[in-house]
Amino acid sequence: MFAGSEAADGVRRMLPISIAGIPEGVVFGALAAGVIGHAAPVAMSVTAFSGGAQYATVSVLRDGGTLGAALLAAAALNVRYLAMSASVPGRSRWHRAAACLLLTDAAWGVADGSRARLLGAGATDLVAWTLATVVGVFGGKVLGDPAALGLDAAFPALFVWLLRDHLGPLALLGGALALVLTPVLAPGLPVLVAGLVAGAIGAAR
Amino acid sequence: MTWLAVALLAAVCVFMRVAVPLGLGDRRPAWFDRALTAALPALLAALVVAGTVADGRALEADPRLAGVAAGALVAVARGPLLLVVVAAAGVTAALRGLGA
């Protein structure tokens, strides 16, 4: 398969997920505009490109919390990228790192080990997320609660779709670990621990 | 303060994405590839759990669970991704509309 068609494949698979994520970006833009103005939320969506981390930062700024706490929360929310980015292929370390700039949960899942698919999927997600933020910043609360549309279920549904070819004891272990660890660890960490434990089992084989 | 926050948040998010690819170097040992292969299903399953029943640190059986289950049925029947996503969102929205 040519890299070009793999990138297009990444775009095509990512589109429904990116579209489902638009209301969340609109809500973020609307919320953030009231706290940090019009330009900063858009700049944040382009450069941080991480919904959870952006929400955490803006809410801390709104409530007058310290920036250090916000950044720590952002780091914890994204710590799973340390495990995901390890599986992205490429010619050299810089080649791999450049592609990982576009890494999101969904783009990583869609990529399934292809750098070109990661680029297509990640770019699609970045464009949709940024445009949605712009709409939210200037359109205000044009949308109701995205939850009313059930769009929060689209994201785990993508991972179910990807998981269907990887069912087995390791999937069971990962799901069980996430279930047990969610109440005791900060959000984002259970996914990392699940990946690390399964990875250690694989390494020891 | 605002732009300092934007810049520092960008730095944190970029670091989390590129630290491992940059730090690993260009030669990866065989055990590392075995670890990645084993981590994939566990990461996917953990992401399903986090998105389906987690709300912050709380575990909740809300309409998302039924929606994702509907999506899973379509996925197991080898349905396309779009249908999986539409089924999951549709069932979740319908149950929320009913006040579940």
Side-chain angles (χ1 to χ4, degrees):
Chain A
M1 214 184 199
F2 294 108
S5 67
E6 277 195 23
D9 197 39
V11 174
R12 194 173 47 78
R13 287 200 208 170
M14 193 67 203
L15 265 178
I17 303 302
S18 288
I19 290 170
I22 283 175
E24 202 200 321
V26 173
V27 170
F28 167 73
L31 171 91
V35 182
I36 55 175
H38 288 69
V42 179
M44 213 180 242
S45 283
V46 175
T47 58
F49 186 29
S50 171
Q54 291 174 230
Y55 266 114
T57 306
V58 169
S59 9
V60 164
L61 290 176
R62 182 191 56 199
D63 303 335
T66 65
L67 192 51
L71 295 172
L72 214 61
L77 281 168
N78 285 347
V79 76
R80 65 194 183 284
Y81 289 159
L82 294 176
M84 293 177 175
S85 61
S87 68
V88 174
R91 280 194 306 274
S92 67
R93 60 174 75 184
W94 295 101
H95 197 235
R96 285 192 293 273
C100 287
L101 287 173
L102 290 172
L103 191 73
T104 62
D105 290 333
W108 171 81
V110 162
D112 198 14
S114 155
R115 184 178 185 273
R117 268 202 299 269
L118 173 64
L119 290 176
T124 304
D125 216 16
L126 179 62
V127 169
W129 177 246
T130 304
L131 288 181
T133 306
V134 171
V135 170
V137 161
F138 292 103
K141 292 221 163 224
V142 287
L143 276 168
D145 183 5
L149 298 169
L151 293 174
D152 49 339
F155 207 54
L158 163 73
F159 296 114
V160 166
W161 184 78
L162 292 164
L163 187 61
R164 66 184 184 179
D165 295 324
H166 300 281
L167 292 173
L170 290 169
L172 209 60
L173 173 72
L177 279 173
L179 208 55
V180 171
L181 294 176
T182 293
V184 290
L185 293 180
L189 284 174
V191 173
L192 176 73
V193 173
L196 289 179
V197 170
I201 291 172
R205 272 176 188 169
Chain B
M1 179 69 170
T2 290
W3 289 99
L4 180 67
V6 171
L8 291 176
L9 180 66
V12 166
C13 292
V14 167
F15 177 83
M16 289 297 174
R17 289 183 167 101
V18 303
V20 168
L22 286 181
L24 264 180
D26 293 335
R27 290 193 158 274
R28 297 197 275 185
W31 63 262
F32 191 78
D33 287 332
R34 289 199 306 275
L36 290 179
T37 308
L40 175 70
L43 282 171
L44 288 173
L47 285 164
V48 170
V49 169
T52 305
V53 291
D55 184 8
R57 284 194 187 183
L59 289 173
E60 285 186 7
D62 59 26
R64 280 179 302 175
L65 186 56
V68 174
L73 284 179
V74 179
V76 168
R78 312 303 296 181
L81 174 60
L82 186 61
L83 200 60
V84 171
V85 169
V86 169
V91 168
T92 305
L95 285 176
R96 288 217 176 100
L98 293 171

